[in-house]
Amino acid sequence: MRRLKVKSRDFDYQVVAGRAAWSAFQRFPYRSYSSIFILTERSLWRRWGANFLKASRLIAPQEIFVPSGENSKSIRMAEQVAATLLKKGADRRSLLIAFGGGVVGDLGGFVASTYMRGIDYIQVPTTVVAQVDSAIGGKTAVNVGEMKNLIGTFAPPRLVLADPVVLKSLPPRAFLSGFYEVAKHAVISGPNLFSLMEESAGRLRPGLNGALDDLLARAAQVKVDIVNHDEHEADLRRLLNLGHTFGHALEEATGYNRFLHGEAVGWGLLCAAQLGVILKMLNAKEEERISALVRRIGPLPSIRDLSPAKIRKLFPRDKKAVAGQIHWVVPEKIGKVRIVRDVPMDAAVEALRIVQESEAHD
Ligand SMILES: NC(=O)c1ccc[n+]([C@@H]2O[C@H](COP(=O)([O-])OP(=O)(O)OC[C@H]3O[C@@H](n4cnc5c(N)ncnc54)[C@H](O)[C@@H]3O)[C@@H](O)[C@H]2O)c1
Ligand SMILES: [Zn+2]
């Protein structure tokens, strides 16, 4: 179990990552709150609630359930959760625990940071993505229509409890898809985490072992380090967008129903590595190593049939595009990625085309 410290503007908090992380709740001053609420999904809580209560020694928190899926990240749902909190008697000294993946985490953080102008909350992430990324850093949000994360706040949690035991119940595909984000962290962070990821990449399964716990904790550390340098998203935090400009375009081009998000990021990493080569920023050897790692994680749904011309039009709609610009995140080597703002559109399309062709040869 590791305790990672996050420095935030108003207070510091811990990310506890590893087996038995939930028991760290016992040392949290939860008795100082007037009431405690758990925001979660019903089936997830049915599977893991008793374990969490046992480990945390939390007694009879009040439960609030939201349906599973991205649709729950909406203003309407935030309003419903706030109304339920009110009905159940939550006041300004109540504590909210967001127990779930990135959806519950983003929604819960958003509600907590706005309910009565803000109450404390804790993240208990239950997916790979949430454990290494979304639960850390205090970005909260809901979607508006097609626009993901349009309305949100910066509101750090008081504590993050990331116990990998909970990942056991993830469907294998969802489990694997989170590791494309771990691979992304590895490319950003450097040879140590990258090698560790290489060792595990071919044998990732729900319910695994100590090596996996270590990998996840170190991937969480990458996010913690970035947040500690740059809580409010300047360029450093933008590096986490590696693979996402391509990835988002692929998701959008397929109506969000072909790829899990992480899988789109997997393709995005392959494209970003090719882009690095095209721009003469990344040498072929490093590109091969990155690509081999991504491909070892698992099979990705095909992109062969997608029209590069169509995807090209979808790039600028990336929400990280400021004033129409796209911030391409391009690897220079394992452990060094850079933001490039003036990438010729043809180069990006070419990168995609090369990756599409390499799939045909698989
Ligand atoms: N705030 C941030 O900094 C940040 C960063 C990255 C992603 N995000 C957001 O995170 C969200 C994606 O997160 P996600 O991938 O965790 O999606 P998710 O929360 O929708 O979870 C994925 C699926 O897994 C199920 N699930 C969750 N935990 C489970 C478990 N332990 N066992 C079995 N099933 C389980 C959920 O019901 C859901 O169907 C997106 O909305 C994205 O915008 C936020
Ligand atoms: Zn992502």
Side-chain angles (χ1 to χ4, degrees):
M1 192 161 88
R2 292 180 187 220
R3 294 171 183 273
L4 317 173
K5 187 168 157 189
V6 185
K7 288 177 287 187
S8 174
R9 199 171 47 194
D10 297 325
F11 55 86
D12 296 348
Y13 61 94
Q14 277 189 350
V15 175
V16 186
R19 294 291 150 140
W22 289 347
S23 65
F25 182 81
Q26 293 173 28
R27 284 169 56 185
F28 182 78
Y30 59 91
R31 289 193 184 82
S32 64
Y33 293 92
S34 59
S35 51
I36 301 180
F37 293 83
I38 299 254
L39 181 74
T40 185
E41 295 170 6
R42 198 176 290 278
S43 62
L44 187 62
W45 191 244
R46 200 179 296 131
R47 172 68 180 80
W48 292 105
N51 298 58
F52 178 72
L53 295 181
K54 190 166 172 223
S56 64
R57 303 227 180 115
L58 177 60
I59 295 162
Q62 305 198 62
E63 298 154 355
I64 302 177
F65 298 112
V66 292
S68 136
E70 188 71 27
N71 283 344
S72 282
K73 259 178 71 172
S74 69
I75 284 283
R76 203 174 53 84
M77 192 60 69
E79 196 179 337
Q80 269 182 34
V81 173
T84 308
L85 280 169
L86 185 67
K87 203 170 74 195
K88 290 178 181 258
D91 61 26
R92 298 174 92 151
R93 289 188 306 108
S94 296
L95 175 73
L96 182 74
I97 300 175
F99 187 98
V103 164
V104 165
D106 279 13
L107 173 72
F110 180 73
V111 171
S113 67
T114 50
Y115 184 77
M116 296 189 174
R117 298 208 171 77
I119 61 172
D120 285 356
Y121 76 104
I122 287 179
Q123 292 278 17
V124 185
T126 64
T127 63
V128 177
V129 172
Q131 296 204 343
V132 304
D133 192 347
S134 64
I136 304 164
K139 279 211 279 176
T140 87
V142 294
N143 308 325
V144 178
E146 296 284 279
M147 215 40 196
K148 284 199 68 182
N149 304 327
L150 185 67
I151 298 183
T153 57
F154 269 110
R158 289 280 163 180
L159 181 66
V160 180
L161 301 174
D163 191 330
V165 73
V166 74
L167 306 175
K168 243 190 342 203
S169 60
L170 280 169
R173 192 178 157 201
F175 177 81
L176 280 186
S177 101
F179 282 91
Y180 296 101
E181 304 269 10
V182 176
K184 178 196 78 174
H185 282 36
V187 174
I188 294 170
S189 118
N192 288 343
L193 180 56
F194 197 91
S195 308
L196 196 64
M197 180 72 199
E198 280 178 323
E199 281 164 29
S200 305
R203 47 192 180 88
L204 298 164
R205 303 210 199 332
L208 262 174
N209 58 42
L212 197 68
D213 298 357
D214 191 39
L215 180 65
L216 290 166
R218 285 170 61 177
Q221 177 81 57
V222 174
K223 175 78 183 255
V224 166
D225 289 345
I226 288 181
V227 170
N228 278 342
H229 281 105
D230 186 3
E231 189 181 23
H232 286 254
E233 177 132 14
D235 274 1
L236 190 60
R237 195 150 173 175
R238 251 191 210 113
L239 299 182
L240 290 167
N241 218 31
L242 176 66
H244 280 64
T245 306
F246 286 104
H248 285 315
L250 292 170
E251 285 183 287
E252 194 165 345
T254 50
Y256 290 90
N257 57 29
R258 181 180 304 185
F259 309 105
L260 298 179
H261 170 71
E263 294 169 340
V265 171
W267 282 121
L269 289 173
L270 294 169
C271 294
Q274 281 305 335
L275 185 58
V277 174
I278 292 170
L279 298 176
K280 301 198 169 23
M281 292 168 60
L282 181 72
N283 73 41
K285 231 177 156 170
E286 296 268 290
E287 179 277 316
E288 273 165 30
R289 210 172 149 203
I290 294 171
S291 300
L293 175 65
V294 172
R295 289 180 191 283
R296 278 241 311 279
I297 293 173
L300 289 167
S302 176
I303 57 167
R304 222 173 300 175
D305 60 315
L306 301 178
S307 141
K310 182 175 168 190
I311 294 190
R312 175 192 194 114
K313 295 205 191 84
L314 298 174
F315 289 141
R317 292 182 51 187
D318 189 293
K319 80 182 163 64
K320 306 274 159 145
V322 175
Q325 235 179 10
I326 303 178
H327 294 82
W328 294 95
V329 187
V330 185
E332 290 184 292
K333 61 178 190 182
I334 291 160
K336 188 148 193 267
V337 302
R338 188 148 62 92
I339 314 262
V340 187
R341 294 185 172 80
D342 50 2
V343 170
M345 202 44 101
D346 286 346
V349 173
E350 180 60 13
L352 174 65
R353 212 178 275 129
I354 293 172
V355 172
Q356 281 182 304
E357 264 167 36
S358 71
E359 185 194 347
H361 296 139
D362 277 353

